């Protein structure tokens, strides 16, 4: 049954983008013309719909808690633990609206998907190239400075340990929030790895819980507080897993 769910997921994943190719081109033309309102309308409509469809096709039940903790009048930096490829569609489907993501460079090579991600405001990073990583963080900082929220998985790669754990939260990702004064919103994702990676990289039905924690103010942080921020956020998330 898992193999059929996996096939159905890939058919849906690319089928949706092919069927809605006209919408993609319309959004790209709007972007070229500087019509950011239309770009945002199309992105906010189609990307969450596409993400929820992936969850539905693969039998994922999603519960979300704490959306009231998301500020409505300021850009913020969402920081989540990262255990599964599913984490991206999960957050695109569950937050107040879809936000740009700091994503690995391999995703930039996937046709159609890369174009939607660029419309969303994603930034692609080469993890093994220090200069490229710095440029990516600077690009993400500029996005937050422009008033748009952003999503980061500060572990840098998927954590492969036991459920309830998380890898080291790297400090670089938090510089985006500190430089811009944007609040950090910790996001705890529980149960995502069982949907795919724990099942031999085949889709498996399951339940995921996402908890959005209260914002952490970064404006005016001392140097000592900035240094402690990555581990403080990690501990806050671990307490919810």
């Amino acid at each position: 049954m898992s193999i059929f769910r996996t096939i159905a997921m890939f058919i849906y994943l690319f089928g949706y983008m092919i069927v809605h190719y006209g919408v993609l081109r319309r959004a790209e033309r709007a972007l070229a013309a500087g019509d950011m309102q239309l770009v945002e309308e199309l992105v906010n409509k189609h990307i969450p719909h596409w993400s929820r469809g992936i969850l539905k096709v693969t039998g994922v039940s999603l519960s979300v808690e704490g959306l009231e903790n998301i500020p409505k009048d300021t850009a913020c930096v969402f920081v989540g633990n990262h255990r599964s490829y599913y984490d991206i569609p999960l957050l695109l489907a569950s937050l107040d609206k879809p936000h740009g993501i700091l994503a690995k460079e391999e995703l930039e090579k996937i046709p159609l998907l890369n174009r939607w991600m660029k419309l969303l405001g994603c930034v692609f990073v080469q993890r093994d190239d220090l200069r490229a990583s710095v440029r990516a963080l600077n690009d993400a900082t500029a996005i937050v400075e422009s008033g748009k929220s952003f999503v980061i998985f500060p572990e840098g790669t998927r954590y492969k340990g036991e459920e309830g754990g998380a890898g080291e939260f790297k400090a670089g990702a938090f510089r985006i929030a500190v430089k811009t004064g944007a609040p950090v919103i910790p996001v705890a994702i529980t149960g995502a790895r069982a949907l795919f990676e724990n099942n031999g990289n085949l889709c498996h039905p399951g339940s995921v819980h996402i908890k959005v924690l209260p914002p952490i103010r970064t404006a005016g942080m001392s140097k000592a507080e900035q240094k402690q921020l990555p581990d403080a956020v990690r501990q806050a998330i671990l307490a919810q897993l």
Side-chain angles (χ1 to χ4, degrees):
M1 189 64 174
S2 293
I3 185 64
F4 296 116
R5 286 186 184 274
T6 306
I7 293 170
M9 185 271 287
F10 280 106
I11 291 174
Y12 174 85
L13 190 154
F14 288 103
Y16 186 99
M17 292 187 288
I18 292 170
V19 169
H20 293 88
Y21 183 75
V23 177
L24 172 63
R25 291 294 298 122
R26 185 185 176 198
E28 289 176 331
R29 288 193 297 269
L31 180 63
D35 188 351
M36 299 310 298
Q37 181 177 348
L38 179 56
V39 173
E40 187 172 353
E41 287 176 2
L42 294 173
V43 164
N44 288 352
K45 175 182 178 181
H46 285 276
I47 289 183
H49 188 267
W50 171 79
S51 300
R52 294 185 191 109
I54 291 174
L55 304 183
K56 184 176 180 179
V57 166
T58 55
V60 177
S61 173
L62 173 63
S63 61
V64 184
E65 180 183 358
L67 289 177
E68 69 278 4
N69 289 321
I70 301 175
K72 295 180 173 58
D73 56 354
T74 187
C76 55
V77 177
F78 294 94
V79 174
N81 59 304
H82 191 24
R83 299 214 64 204
S84 174
Y85 288 118
Y86 265 88
D87 291 335
I88 290 179
L90 283 167
L91 292 189
L92 291 175
S94 63
L95 296 178
D96 54 331
K97 62 180 181 178
H99 300 290
I101 298 170
L102 191 66
K104 61 182 183 179
E105 62 176 332
E106 289 85 349
L107 294 176
E108 191 176 13
K109 301 173 184 178
I110 301 177
L112 296 181
L113 179 64
N114 54 4
R115 292 163 67 177
W116 275 107
M117 292 183 74
K118 288 174 182 176
L119 288 170
L120 179 61
C122 294
V123 173
F124 301 97
V125 59
Q126 300 177 37
R127 290 173 298 184
D128 56 350
D129 186 322
L130 181 58
R131 290 184 179 180
S133 296
V134 171
R135 285 196 301 270
L137 289 175
N138 289 338
D139 289 344
T141 300
I143 289 172
V144 177
E145 285 177 337
S146 75
K148 297 180 179 179
S149 296
F150 204 76
V151 175
I152 297 174
F153 299 109
E155 292 161 278
T157 188
R158 288 168 296 134
Y159 176 69
K160 299 175 178 62
E162 294 297 322
E163 190 68 41
E168 176 190 1
F169 279 22
K170 296 178 174 60
F174 292 89
R175 294 190 188 119
I176 298 170
V178 171
K179 283 184 178 180
T180 60
V184 170
I185 312 291
V187 181
I189 307 171
T190 307
R193 192 168 180 83
L195 305 177
F196 189 70
E197 286 83 355
N198 284 355
N199 197 42
N201 287 344
L202 293 175
C203 294
H204 193 271
S207 298
V208 174
H209 182 70
I210 291 177
K211 186 169 184 177
V212 181
L213 303 178
I216 298 173
R217 187 172 178 269
T218 64
M221 265 190 171
S222 67
K223 292 292 184 181
E225 289 172 326
Q226 292 175 24
K227 186 176 181 179
Q228 295 167 0
L229 182 60
D231 191 57
V233 173
R234 180 176 179 271
Q235 293 302 324
I237 290 175
L238 282 173
Q240 304 299 323
L241 300 182

